[in-house]
Amino acid sequence: MSDMTAEQKVKFYQKGTFTVGNRLVDQARRSVQASMERSNAITSGHRACQGCGEALGARYALDTAMRATKGQLIAVNATGCLEVFTTPYPETSWQVPWLHSLFGNAPAVASGVAAAMRVKGRQQVRVVAQGGDGGTTDIGFGCLSGMFERNDDVLYICYDNEAYMNTGVQRSSATPPTARTATTPAIGPEPGNVFGTGKNLPLIAMAHNIPYVATASVANLHDLERKVEKAMAIRGARYIHIFVPCPLGWGSAGHDTIRIARLASECGLFPLFEAAHGEVTGSLPIRHKVPVEEYLRPQKRFAHLFKDDDGSARIARLQRMADANIKRFDLLRDVEETPL
Amino acid sequence: MLKQIEGSRAVAEAVGLCRPEVICAYPISPQTHIVEGCAELIRAGTIQHCEFINVESEFAALSVAIGASAAGARTYTATASQGLLFMAEAVYNAAGLGLPIVMTIGNRAIGAPINIWNDHSDSMALRDAGWIQLHAETNQEAADLHIQAFKLAERLSTPVMVCMDGFILTHAYERIAMPDQAQVDAFLPSYQPRQVLDPADPYSIGAMVGPEAFMEVRYLAHDKLLQALSVIPEIQQEFKEIFGRESGGLFHRYRLEDAETVVVTMGSLAGTVKDMVDERRADGVRIGVITLCSYRPFPLDALRRALQGAAKVIVLEKSLALGFGGVLATDVRMALHGVDTLVHTVIAGLGGRPITRKSLARLFGRVERGELKDPHFLDLDLDLVRREIDNQRNQITAGPIAENILRDIGPRATKVG
Amino acid sequence: MSQQHPDVPFAITLDVGSSLANRTGSWRSERPVYLDRLPPCNDACPAGENIQAWLGHAEEGNYEAAWQEVMRNNPLPAIMGRACYHPCEGACNRSALDDAVNIHAVERFLGDQAIEKGWMPAVAATSSGKQVLVIGAGPSGLSAAYHLRRLGHAVTIHEAGPVPGGMMRFGIPAYRLPRDIVQAEIDRILAMGVELELNHKVEDIQAEMQDGRFDACFLAVGAHLAKRVDIPTPDAGKILDAIGVLREMETGDDPPLLGRRVVVYGGGNTAIDMARTAKRLGAEEAIIVYRRTREMMPAHDFEVEEALAEGVILNWLTTIKEIDDSGSFVVEKMALNDDGWPEPTGEFDTIEADSLVLALGQNVDTGFIAKVPGVEIAKDGVIQVGPDMMTGFAGLFAGGDMVPSERTVTVAVGHGKQAARHIDAWLRGERYEHPPRPELAGVDKLNSWYYADAPKTVQPELEIIRRQTSFDEVHRGLDETNALYEARRCLSCGNCFECDNCYGVCPDNAVIKLGPGKRFEFNYDYCKGCGICATECPCGAIKMVPEEI
């Protein structure tokens, strides 16, 4: 072939590489969600709104945890949308052993379950605690921090939809700047949630030096599953913060839930990364970078940003936040796009 | 085995004999010595197969207990005062979920003003949370009640508080007959949960219940506590058969035969009252004492029968419903509803104020002479409070009452406590 | 509720999965439905290939199945993979991501594999007892013969020339289409039982049909008469036509003599082929003269690029006025007017050259056809056919370059297939109805995020020096690895490829996975109609339709 121009290097690839069911990957690494035998930890008939990101995120996470533990799983739930829409008497959507106690105590309740399993010599039964951002970053924060510092054998999953949705869209400490909520109306000199507030729980979790912290998104199932699998392979306190859009609270179309989650990560506002013992160990590079406007525009909670020059200035400020994330987590590095 | 032992230590050892599986604790006086004792017994290997979890708050303490209990572990914790209030939400929740957790309350006042000494304000604040509330009269009874409490809790699948007076009992050294392990094992079967989190047989615990069934859920919880009125004496009897002594039950009777006047009280105060009753009896006064052990459920019928012959009832309690009056007294009046018995409300010992024999003698004298107004506040410095009330009336802004009282009380403060 | 567990607390503790009693489908105002949209490649294919389907087989590594799928519509994959101008790739949605799928290269790979491995297409087991005459062994005639044979009819081809293949031999140079490939694919058709009579020029169609007792006839003799323009010249021998030269390349013993400097007049693909052939025949200069601009040339851009790379010179906006007495070519410069059309400028120039080859298009030789009663000749001298490809004479069908249409090998192959279907129906006294075309799967229907970036595989090319001196094939084929890679670049536009996205992304578990090859069903008992499945379907195979309330 000396008289031929250099041949292109062949990369492993299948149409729909990032889809749920990439048939060309090893059976063991295929998505749980592609399986006809998936556990459907939350089954049909729940009362989540159309296009609920949290319902999806919770099934993704728990089905993965179910596979990772071979069904030896107990779930603890904080009060919130997830709890309310899955368990209104007389029907529950859960298909795993599940306990709801209070709004602010899920991490502690989970610690108790884990302690019971340990003392009974049933360590193969693993515990997942879950809550929304309010239940996690605000009211449950004390218990969460306690569970972290004791390094209890619990995976805590926060489904972050950036406000108190169950009570009617009030601000939480996970609400982003400028977002309109019922308690941060889009009026006055600083419309929406104000800049310079809020807390970054994944980073706070890392400060506890726990073995594993990760962010994930309903827009990237494979990444989410990989992180849950990884978390379930580790003993001790683990934290995964999953981005779950809320069509009702965000004023977005129900069918856009995954699209908006994707844009949140692709613009840099919600970086996908993981950390072990307080150190960032990896991040998921942005595949197709978009400006923050693309993420903000389909959401009515940000509609005020598109009305005047002040709004444009705020968008620029959000863009700077996104850019800072991109820099901090090295999200635009040039990588060979290896599927999965 | 007889031991000269601190009350808290006796409770810790008794709890240990019950083979607990999860103990979680957050420090608050005056229950600290109990959980310190538990921690030590676990570290020393005296208590085996038990997880001791240091949590970050009382709210977490009971929450961990909720999780552990729901997962099928025999679970214990202890708290007091502010701590009980801080976990209040979980207190209701544990009962609502029907989890047989046993929790010691080292009874203590509630602030502000902050006060670490004994009264019953804390457990009274949560009397309607759905827990069984048992009050110990002595440290012997405190130890015994814990052993009974696990059996009671697990038989009914409902949580039990064992209340013991802070410092007066928790920190007092007394001679106590400590049960041995074989006796406790014979008395207390292993925990067979009514519902448990188990991957082999999953269900959802903690559903949201709307108006269509909430009344029924609440009624069933109420009925369960009423069932305890018969279970408590049964367990008391079972306990007596194995350990050979009377402990627990609905209430204790002392010299009630032919009593015209009956003092109704709870907790360690009963000891002093009994001494006084003995004195009055020696003077020919027909007086007796009922010491309530089960405050929740409240034994309305049994109490009514026990008080049948009495013309006067003095309810001597360490709690005060602000803006209303006696708490226990109200319950006793309920028991005597429709009966022509004079019931005196006597509020005493708030925030650790000593209840002296002298004061009680004066009190009983006034009752006998028919001079007592209702409600009566034992040893209240009336001059001081009247002066303060007047001051406040004359001032637009009065400032914190506690500071003003301390200022006014001046050098007299040392006399109290 | 607590039927399984009568001992657990009332109302607070519930049996798992009991929410199935709550049919949330009643919330829905729109319902998702699965549909198959028409992929743009299939839509654009003149031969009517189901490109997406065969790429699907190839993607699985099942090359014979892929080839059989090609063969359902096109009997000449190895030829088509080389000679087709692949309008499929022009339509391919993948070009919006990176580059179009290299469809023709995969087709060629499959075609070559089939030749190498001797794969044979399926033929109907039972004979229809009908006989069909095909006149002309070009791509259209061969295609019709092949399809008619598959349908169980006996087919005889009468070909006027000494070799079969028509324009595949005479119109496309060997460096683009090696002759062994042409022969192999024709041989395969003949091996199916198609009779071929060479050097059999048909003069009287009716007589041939009667004598041979043919039930129908497909006429596909192509367009072989070169168009000419009147260019005054002292030496008519200097002016040749491209079709004649290219034919002579195939049938003559010696290569045609064109001289050192050759001018080719025209702007179509034949002009390019001619110029490139002239270079290979030893011309030092091959100059294309075209009266319009480079952009307006009908030739395919990639062929122009290849020609330029090989040293062909392009003179656009130029017309040839005459060849003067000294043998110089007098040319006039043209300029575009305000409407964008070329107009003479009055500026003249001369070009020195040894020969002029006209590549201005071809006409159909309609002489023997016009005699058939009922047959109409349309303007431009082509045969008028109906939508069923039948001429005005019952049982006489026509296709390929001789009917009004674009003149490419692929169109011709498509005509052959369509004609075969209509003839088959006509022989049974029926009409062939083409199934309705589904709506097009345009790029707006896709969610392309799910496809990884994967630039197309570049086919290796022969080095320039060899291209200028030999008729070796310019483009090499793909090997198995890169053919597989290329097949996997297909997005499966408009048609479910069982990626499981809908099954995975439904927040209500309202998609039922039916198992491999069986696709999915919606469970409308629980589907709330949020539409995430439709938005996240990568290939646009789900649409939302309003519920009737």
Side-chain angles (χ1 to χ4, degrees):
Chain A
M1 291 279 252
S2 61
D3 57 346
M4 292 290 165
T5 47
E7 279 196 61
Q8 183 177 322
K9 192 180 154 207
V10 174
K11 288 184 285 186
F12 178 66
Y13 171 69
Q14 183 210 11
K15 63 186 169 192
T17 297
F18 295 94
T19 58
V20 170
N22 186 333
R23 296 189 296 281
L24 292 193
V25 299
D26 292 346
Q27 194 76 39
R29 291 176 59 220
R30 286 191 198 176
S31 165
V32 181
Q33 292 305 316
S35 165
M36 291 169 81
E37 282 79 43
R38 74 183 186 207
S39 56
N40 283 328
I42 307 176
T43 193
S44 307
H46 63 71
R47 289 146 202 262
C49 303
Q50 289 154 318
C52 175
E54 190 174 29
L56 194 55
R59 196 187 72 224
Y60 282 178
L62 290 206
D63 282 358
T64 310
M66 281 291 278
R67 178 169 78 173
T69 60
K70 300 188 169 64
Q72 298 296 300
L73 189 76
I74 292 172
V76 172
N77 217 116
T79 308
C81 279
L82 181 60
E83 167 263 324
V84 168
F85 73 64
T86 53
T87 56
Y89 164 81
E91 293 152 5
T92 175
S93 307
W94 295 98
Q95 311 214 77
V96 296
W98 179 91
L99 172 65
H100 160 242
S101 173
L102 295 167
F103 199 2
N105 72 354
V109 172
S111 291
V113 176
M117 291 303 129
R118 198 160 56 236
V119 77
K120 288 173 177 296
R122 300 183 67 194
Q123 283 99 327
Q124 81 280 8
V125 179
R126 307 297 299 279
V127 186
V128 170
Q130 45 188 359
D133 51 292
T136 304
T137 69
D138 290 344
I139 197 170
F141 182 66
C143 284
L144 185 63
S145 179
M147 187 275 279
F148 284 164
E149 75 67 30
R150 290 189 303 271
N151 200 25
D152 288 333
D153 189 26
V154 172
L155 168 61
Y156 189 95
I157 300 173
C158 171
Y159 303 108
D160 180 8
N161 56 22
E162 302 191 329
Y164 290 88
M165 299 315 183
N166 191 37
T167 44
V169 198
Q170 295 85 15
R171 177 203 182 271
S172 80
S173 61
T175 302
T178 74
R180 181 200 67 189
T181 70
T183 49
T184 54
I187 51 177
E190 243 187 308
N193 194 32
V194 293
F195 280 96
T197 63
K199 56 176 109 154
N200 187 326
L201 206 63
L203 296 183
I204 296 171
M206 283 166 60
H208 289 77
N209 209 25
I210 57 176
Y212 189 69
V213 172
T215 60
S217 166
V218 285
N220 198 323
L221 173 64
H222 296 290
D223 180 63
L224 186 156
E225 289 190 350
R226 189 184 61 75
K227 285 168 175 169
V228 173
E229 292 262 5
K230 195 166 177 179
M232 295 314 290
I234 298 169
R235 291 280 173 180
R238 293 141 287 144
Y239 180 74
I240 299 182
H241 191 101
I242 303 180
F243 192 79
V244 292
C246 170
L248 182 79
W250 296 9
S252 56
H255 62 81
D256 271 344
T257 292
I258 291 178
R259 185 172 81 93
I260 286 174
R262 187 159 50 235
L263 291 169
S265 291
E266 297 281 68
C267 76
L269 280 177
F270 190 82
L272 296 171
F273 67 95
E274 55 192 329
H277 298 290
E279 298 293 330
V280 173
T281 55
S283 65
L284 199 68
I286 289 170
R287 287 189 57 226
H288 300 292
K289 185 173 185 298
V290 294
V292 294
E293 284 97 319
E294 272 196 51
Y295 163 68
L296 302 170
R297 200 180 287 276
Q299 304 178 50
K300 290 203 184 78
R301 63 177 174 154
F302 296 117
H304 60 94
L305 297 176
F306 295 92
K307 286 187 177 144
D308 53 26
D309 290 347
D310 286 351
S312 304
R314 290 186 186 98
I315 291 173
R317 210 166 158 187
L318 290 166
Q319 183 65 57
R320 286 199 292 278
M321 289 170 63
D323 293 343
N325 283 336
I326 288 169
K327 192 172 167 211
R328 178 175 196 166
F329 297 103
D330 194 16
L331 301 177
L332 277 183
R333 63 186 187 275
D334 194 20
V335 289
E336 177 106 345
E337 192 157 69
T338 42
L340 312 175
Chain B
M1 186 178 64
L2 285 172
K3 268 189 182 177
Q4 186 70 21
I5 191 173
E6 192 199 29
S8 293
R9 178 72 189 194
V11 168
E13 289 186 11
V15 166
L17 291 170
C18 295
R19 303 188 184 279
E21 292 172 297
V22 175
I23 294 175
C24 35
Y26 185 79
I28 183 168
S29 297
Q31 61 80 40
T32 39
H33 289 186
I34 301 174
V35 292
E36 285 167 11
C38 292
E40 189 194 319
L41 290 167
I42 292 170
R43 284 287 174 99
T46 311
I47 304 177
Q48 293 189 334
H49 306 296
C50 182
E51 292 281 326
F52 187 91
I53 302 174
N54 284 296
V55 292
E56 70 283 357
S57 73
E58 288 88 355
F59 178 60
L62 188 53
S63 298
V64 169
I66 286 169
S69 183
R74 181 170 285 164
T75 306
Y76 171 78
T77 187
T79 191
S81 180
Q82 314 294 138
L84 182 63
L85 265 60
F86 194 56
M87 65 164 68
E89 192 190 9
V91 171
Y92 271 78
N93 187 257
L97 296 175
L99 301 173
I101 299 161
V102 171
M103 175 163 70
T104 306
I105 307 299
N107 283 110
R108 171 185 147 182
I110 290 170
I114 189 166
N115 174 299
I116 64 165
W117 291 278
N118 168 247
D119 68 26
H120 291 167
S121 305
D122 49 4
S123 60
M124 283 296 180
L126 286 162
R127 64 177 186 230
D128 299 325
W131 288 55
I132 291 170
Q133 289 187 333
L134 306 178
H135 280 259
E137 183 180 332
T138 62
N139 278 342
Q140 178 71 61
E141 188 171 48
D144 293 346
L145 281 181
H146 281 86
I147 296 166
Q148 294 187 25
F150 281 107
K151 189 164 190 173
L152 178 60
E154 290 165 15
R155 187 175 291 179
L156 288 167
S157 199
T158 203
V160 177
M161 280 182 209
V162 179
C163 305
M164 60 192 292
D165 287 326
F167 294 110
I168 298 168
L169 291 181
T170 56
H171 287 56
Y173 280 75
E174 288 175 14
R175 207 167 65 137
I176 291 171
M178 285 308 297
D180 66 35
Q181 189 66 61
Q183 287 175 307
V184 175
D185 288 347
F187 173 75
L188 180 64
S190 65
Y191 173 34
Q192 300 298 326
R194 189 170 163 197
Q195 59 176 354
V196 66
L197 293 165
D198 184 359
D201 186 14
Y203 37 68
S204 302
I205 303 175
M208 180 181 74
V209 178
E212 73 279 16
F214 195 82
M215 283 279 285
E216 287 71 23
V217 168
R218 273 288 178 254
Y219 182 84
L220 291 167
H222 172 60
D223 183 69
K224 190 150 75 173
L225 285 202
L226 295 183
Q227 289 172 36
L229 288 172
S230 57
V231 176
I232 289 167
E234 282 167 30
I235 287 177
Q236 177 190 28
Q237 188 57 35
E238 290 162 21
F239 186 87
K240 188 181 175 185
E241 283 163 16
I242 290 176
F243 298 90
R245 62 179 169 270
E246 294 277 359
S247 258
L250 298 175
F251 49 80
H252 307 312
R253 301 147 191 266
Y254 187 73
R255 304 193 77 169
L256 287 187
E257 67 287 0
D258 74 3
E260 288 179 342
T261 303
V262 177
V263 180
V264 177
T265 192
M266 275 194 318
S268 61
L269 179 54
T272 317
V273 175
K274 284 176 187 169
D275 288 349
M276 290 305 301
V277 163
D278 290 344
E279 273 183 26
R280 303 308 288 173
R281 281 274 180 183
D283 293 345
V285 179
R286 291 193 292 176
I287 185 167
V289 186
I290 287 179
T291 311
L292 270 173
C293 180
S294 171
Y295 179 63
R296 283 291 182 270
F298 193 79
L300 283 172
D301 293 340
L303 195 61
R304 183 189 179 91
R305 283 196 298 277
L307 293 173
Q308 223 158 23
K312 289 179 185 171
V313 172
I314 304 167
V315 180
L316 192 56
E317 63 174 304
K318 291 181 175 177
S319 47
L320 169 62
L322 300 178
F324 177 72
V327 184
L328 179 58
T330 306
D331 294 341
V332 172
R333 282 197 174 87
M334 179 73 178
L336 293 173
H337 179 69
V339 179
D340 189 21
T341 306
L342 181 60
V343 179
H344 290 287
T345 308
V346 180
I347 314 294
L350 297 186
R353 173 73 56 94
I355 300 168
T356 61
R357 294 164 67 103
K358 200 171 142 194
S359 301
L360 288 176
R362 200 161 54 230
L363 172 76
F364 292 158
R366 290 174 74 176
V367 171
E368 284 157 23
R369 294 190 299 275
E371 292 172 6
L372 199 69
K373 285 187 184 165
D374 200 77
H376 179 73
F377 291 82
L378 193 72
D379 291 342
L380 181 69
D381 186 339
L382 278 172
D383 290 345
L384 185 147
V385 293
R386 280 183 189 136
R387 203 161 55 242
E388 184 65 23
I389 290 163
D390 288 346
N391 276 349
Q392 287 188 43
R393 281 205 187 111
N394 296 335
Q395 285 174 17
I396 297 167
T397 55
I401 295 169
E403 279 179 26
N404 293 350
I405 288 174
L406 284 176
R407 191 184 59 236
D408 291 350
I409 214 167
R412 280 184 47 189
T414 47
K415 285 201 268 175
V416 184
Chain C
M1 92 259 55
S2 297
Q3 313 237 311
Q4 290 165 272
H5 298 101
D7 49 330
V8 302
F10 166 72
I12 303 169
T13 300
L14 303 172
D15 279 331
V16 292
S18 40
S19 66
L20 291 173
N22 184 34
R23 304 291 174 96
T24 51
S26 61
W27 301 15
R28 199 171 51 237
S29 58
E30 280 188 313
R31 65 165 54 202
V33 290
Y34 289 108
L35 77 168
D36 287 295
R37 290 188 165 108
L38 183 62
C41 52
N42 291 10
D43 181 55
C45 179
E49 284 186 31
N50 190 346
I51 295 163
Q52 191 182 80
W54 59 255
L55 281 174
H57 290 302
E59 182 233 349
E60 305 272 348
N62 198 347
Y63 303 121
E64 184 167 3
W67 180 80
Q68 291 287 3
E69 172 56 45
V70 177
M71 294 294 287
R72 289 179 56 196
N73 295 294
N74 173 8
L76 308 168
I79 295 170
M80 219 55 70
R82 291 170 166 85
C84 179
Y85 293 113
H86 40 78
C88 49
E89 294 178 28
C92 177
N93 282 332
R94 176 116 217 165
S95 60
L97 277 69
D98 33 51
D99 307 298
V101 175
N102 201 342
I103 297 169
H104 75 279
V106 181
E107 183 175 38
R108 169 176 162 174
F109 169 78
L110 296 173
D112 290 354
Q113 287 276 302
I115 293 169
E116 189 188 317
K117 305 222 160 115
W119 295 333
M120 285 298 290
V123 183
T126 54
S127 169
S128 68
K130 302 284 186 187
Q131 302 218 50
V132 184
L133 172 63
V134 173
I135 303 175
S140 189
L142 287 166
S143 170
Y146 163 84
H147 285 288
L148 287 163
R149 189 73 202 99
R150 272 180 78 114
L151 292 164
H153 306 299
V155 185
T156 304
I157 305 175
H158 289 173
E159 164 59 42
V163 286
M167 278 298 183
M168 295 187 292
R169 283 185 193 274
F170 308 134
I172 303 169
Y175 62 84
R176 285 218 289 131
L177 183 56
R179 299 308 184 233
D180 55 335
I181 296 292
V182 175
Q183 195 58 49
E185 295 212 307
I186 294 173
D187 286 348
R188 188 171 57 220
I189 293 171
L190 300 181
M192 291 166 67
V194 171
E195 296 290 329
L196 173 65
E197 291 180 27
L198 295 170
N199 302 308
H200 183 139
K201 186 164 172 64
V202 173
E203 299 290 353
D204 185 336
I205 294 168
Q206 282 173 281
E208 294 259 1
M209 283 181 73
Q210 277 164 17
D211 294 350
R213 283 191 292 224
F214 291 107
D215 301 292
C217 174
F218 179 60
L219 189 54
V221 298
H224 294 281
L225 301 180
K227 289 183 186 171
R228 300 187 73 92
V229 285
D230 187 28
I231 296 173
T233 173
D235 177 7
K238 275 186 119 174
I239 302 181
L240 305 161
D241 73 77
I243 285 299
V245 173
L246 292 170
R247 180 189 298 273
E248 204 179 329
M249 291 284 300
E250 289 298 306
T251 56
D253 293 333
D254 298 314
L257 298 172
L258 299 172
R260 289 192 304 111
R261 289 165 64 90
V262 179
V263 170
V264 179
Y265 197 20
N269 289 315
T270 306
I272 304 291
D273 287 342
M274 188 60 241
R276 294 175 72 184
T277 297
K279 286 293 279 188
R280 282 166 174 78
L281 288 173
E284 284 169 20
E285 282 184 23
I287 305 158
I288 292 174
V289 173
Y290 179 56
R291 65 189 297 265
R292 300 185 191 177
T293 62
R294 158 93 196 257
E295 292 71 35
M296 293 162 92
M297 288 179 87
H300 292 95
D301 201 51
F302 74 90
E303 291 219 64
V304 177
E305 289 297 334
E306 285 176 13
L308 291 172
E310 290 167 12
V312 169
I313 297 161
L314 192 54
N315 266 354
W316 62 83
L317 285 172
T318 305
T319 55
I320 300 172
K321 303 308 288 183
E322 63 171 324
I323 300 173
D324 66 17
D325 294 341
S326 65
S328 296
F329 291 43
V330 179
V331 297
E332 183 177 8
K333 299 306 283 178
M334 307 290 280
L336 294 184
N337 66 15
D338 292 344
D339 297 330
W341 293 102
E343 281 179 355
T345 58
E347 284 178 47
F348 293 91
D349 202 351
T350 58
I351 299 174
E352 301 303 324
D354 300 313
S355 60
L356 170 63
V357 186
L358 302 178
L360 301 168
Q362 293 93 245
N363 288 326
V364 178
D365 178 6
T366 56
F368 75 108
I369 307 160
K371 292 185 280 189
V372 182
V375 171
E376 278 180 63
I377 309 296
K379 73 174 166 66
D380 301 335
V382 290
I383 308 297
Q384 191 63 53
V385 289
D388 57 358
M389 308 200 68
M390 194 157 77
T391 64
F393 181 78
L396 180 62
F397 296 76
D401 287 358
M402 57 188 302
V403 303
S405 156
E406 197 190 346
R407 287 176 177 172
T408 69
V409 174
T410 322
V411 168
V413 166
H415 281 182
K417 178 182 81 173
Q418 287 171 51
R421 286 176 176 169
H422 288 296
I423 292 167
D424 175 64
W426 185 82
L427 288 172
R428 285 183 279 107
E430 294 168 9
R431 279 190 71 82
Y432 173 76
E433 295 293 343
H434 198 278
R437 284 169 95 79
E439 61 180 278
L440 191 66
V443 73
D444 59 313
K445 301 289 191 295
L446 307 184
N447 186 336
S448 61
W449 188 86
Y450 291 99
Y451 303 103
D453 293 339
K456 88 168 167 183
T457 314
V458 179
Q459 284 170 269
E461 290 180 5
L462 202 60
E463 284 180 347
I464 290 294
I465 187 71
R466 297 257 310 263
R467 283 161 59 177
Q468 288 168 334
T469 55
S470 82
F471 282 87
D472 289 354
E473 190 168 16
V474 171
H475 294 283
R476 280 295 188 95
L478 302 178
D479 61 21
E480 178 164 351
T481 13
N482 48 25
L484 190 70
Y485 165 85
E486 203 53 39
R488 287 174 179 173
R489 295 182 65 240
C490 171
L491 308 178
S492 193
C493 306
N495 294 283
C496 175
F497 60 97
E498 296 185 42
C499 76
D500 293 324
N501 257 21
C502 51
Y503 178 62
V505 302
C506 176
D508 294 290
N509 279 2
V511 175
I512 301 165
K513 181 171 176 172
L514 300 173
K518 297 177 186 160
R519 294 186 170 183
F520 308 88
E521 261 176 25
F522 289 110
N523 185 343
Y524 294 114
D525 283 348
Y526 300 108
C527 166
K528 292 172 185 162
C530 70
I532 292 181
C533 54
T535 303
E536 299 306 320
C537 177
C539 65
I542 301 173
K543 80 172 175 185
M544 300 300 292
V545 297
E547 285 287 349
E548 287 173 19
I549 303 164

